Amino acid sequence: MADEATTTPSRPEAPAGRPSGPGGPGGRGPGGPGGPGGRKFFRRKKVCKFCTEKIDAISYRDVRLLQGFVAERGKIVPRRLTGVCTTHQRRLSKAIKQARNIALLPFAARF
């Protein structure tokens, strides 16, 4: 009986693909969300640029405006990164595609 009390149950090992960190196998550590540290910074909610500035029409001819929503490689930046609302993102992508078709914007970046 005394031998059984001194032995501790073995811990299961972490999967081979994930490194085990301070928060346990595959955990985010003490500073992760939901842990004892909580969140380290407050991320501000992104607000639609077109709604705040009350821009109704997004023109395909306004290349300066459209270039802000096109990545370096020529891809349209998703709304989760830009903060644009759904309706304006649809209008924006349509305007970018029109501007590409008449060669105001490039389809892809130069290599």
Side-chain angles (χ1 to χ4, degrees), residues 18 62 70:
R18 284 185 171 163
D62 193 358
V70 177

Side-chain angles (χ1 to χ4, degrees), residues 41-86:
F41 61 95
F42 174 74
R43 178 156 299 177
R44 192 172 219 171
K45 186 169 180 345
K46 295 178 180 173
V47 186
C48 178
K49 176 183 177 179
F50 300 103
C51 290
T52 55
E53 295 179 11
K54 295 191 168 57
I55 299 173
D56 293 330
I58 302 172
S59 176
Y60 65 91
R61 290 175 278 173
D62 193 358
V63 179
R64 285 243 170 106
L65 176 73
L66 299 179
Q67 279 179 338
F69 297 96
V70 177
E72 255 182 58
R73 305 283 292 196
K75 292 184 175 183
I76 299 172
V77 182
R79 58 181 289 262
R80 64 186 160 79
L81 296 179
T82 59
V84 179
C85 68
T86 311

